[in-house]
Amino acid sequence: MNKNLFIREVLEFLLLSLAIALFFFGFLFLSSRSIGETWLSERGIILSQEQTGILLLWIRSLCLLASSLVFLALFLFLLGQRISYVASIIRGVEQLRERQLDYTIPVEGKDEFAFLAESINYLAFSQKQLKQQQEALRQKREDFVRTLSHDIRTPLTSILSNSQYLASKSSLTPEEITSYITLVQSKGEQIRLLTDQLLGKAGSMERPVEDVALLLRQLAFQWEEILEDSFRCETDCSGCHSFSARADLSSLQRILDNLSSNIEKYADPDRPVVLRLSCSPGEIRIFQQNALPPNPAPPSESHGIGLKSICEIARRTGGQADFSLSSSSFEIRILLKLDPHL
């Protein structure tokens, strides 16, 4: 951009004002001289050469004074338009500060003041965008920490509930001890992986899986084992086909844990809960349905976090999760995308 546009505008105002003032001077001088001569002629007054010179000097002086006033008034008016625009820019800056950058300074002309207004608008827009991005990142980080904390609490709750059950028994069989140790190891490893993700220490969580169908059957069995004491479970893995792929086992476990946790909190224990798993090369589909009690308990403070966690996990794989909730039932459909294991 030419940085001398304002000076050029001032020169244009000056030349325009000067041209109009000269025209006004010539027009006023000739008109005044003609009117004076006509007036003297009608009254038969004849002036000497010296008197005529003095009269013309007075007419010329008055016309020059009037033209000068016209020049100054016109030049100051034209220049004042641009000076007033500077004041509007200053007011615009005040509006930006008062409205938290939610304001746009009007751009007028093509000189340095217009360039200044455009630059201020651009900086305000960039600052506003930066604040929005920072807020979005902060919210995303808070949601990430909240969902991971919720998912960490789920296996921890499983460990504590089993510990309380074992503590209530006077004697333990070797099978019960082995089962509890296996549970603690599994849930402890899950908590470790989730903690690493929370601290940002975890790399890629995907691992080669030789038989995805077998893995889903195992997860369905664990899901049923958690709920079978309180609910009548109906699992269906008939749609699972054997193939190899890369899968995030921790994320799959988190999904099933959140589903079982929601069932324990909100499902009707007198009616069956349904879990259907299916898989084919490149994807896993999960469907879960349960009835709601006639008078459901008020939701806890973690209500909805588990569903958000499931939706986020599905989104990261390139899939999706959607659910429907009515007064009598809950259904969720989950699609997970898998990378082929070569």
Side-chain angles (χ1 to χ4, degrees), residues 33 37 40 46-58:
R33 180 177 177 180
E37 290 176 349
L40 292 174
I46 301 175
L47 299 178
S48 63
Q49 185 175 359
E50 182 179 352
Q51 291 174 329
T52 302
I54 293 173
L55 177 62
L56 293 177
L57 178 62
W58 274 100

Side-chain angles (χ1 to χ4, degrees), residues 240-253:
C240 294
H241 304 283
S242 296
F243 64 94
S244 62
R246 294 182 63 83
D248 186 344
L249 306 183
S250 175
S251 293
L252 286 171
Q253 186 65 61

Side-chain angles (χ1 to χ4, degrees), residues 21-55:
L22 290 175
F23 173 81
F24 182 75
F25 171 79
F27 174 79
L28 188 62
F29 177 75
L30 293 176
S31 299
S32 301
R33 180 177 177 180
S34 176
I35 292 172
E37 290 176 349
T38 302
W39 187 81
L40 292 174
S41 176
E42 288 178 352
R43 287 163 176 73
I45 300 174
I46 301 175
L47 299 178
S48 63
Q49 185 175 359
E50 182 179 352
Q51 291 174 329
T52 302
I54 293 173
L55 177 62

Side-chain angles (χ1 to χ4, degrees), residues 248-266:
D248 186 344
L249 306 183
S250 175
S251 293
L252 286 171
Q253 186 65 61
R254 286 171 62 189
I255 290 175
L256 272 297
D257 282 348
N258 277 309
L259 292 178
S260 61
S261 177
N262 282 347
I263 290 171
E264 291 175 330
K265 292 176 182 177
Y266 309 115

Side-chain angles (χ1 to χ4, degrees), residues 165-223:
Y165 170 75
L166 294 175
S168 65
K169 300 192 66 175
S170 58
S171 62
L172 300 175
T173 65
E175 291 78 10
E176 288 175 330
I177 295 175
T178 302
S179 175
Y180 179 69
I181 291 174
T182 302
L183 173 69
V184 170
Q185 288 177 337
S186 173
K187 298 301 181 182
E189 177 64 17
Q190 187 179 351
I191 292 173
R192 184 188 67 81
L193 292 174
L194 292 173
T195 305
D196 286 344
Q197 291 184 45
L198 185 61
L199 299 176
K201 296 180 180 180
S204 175
M205 305 299 291
E206 291 188 347
R207 298 291 183 270
V209 178
E210 294 299 330
D211 191 340
V212 176
L214 178 59
L215 171 64
L216 293 181
R217 292 189 183 96
Q218 291 173 344
L219 291 174
F221 175 76
Q222 294 175 8
W223 176 86

Side-chain angles (χ1 to χ4, degrees), residues 129-143:
Q129 274 195 325
L130 180 61
K131 286 186 175 181
Q132 291 175 344
Q133 292 172 356
Q134 289 176 340
E135 178 62 23
L137 288 174
R138 184 191 66 80
Q139 186 62 43
K140 186 176 181 180
R141 178 62 181 173
E142 287 184 358
D143 290 342

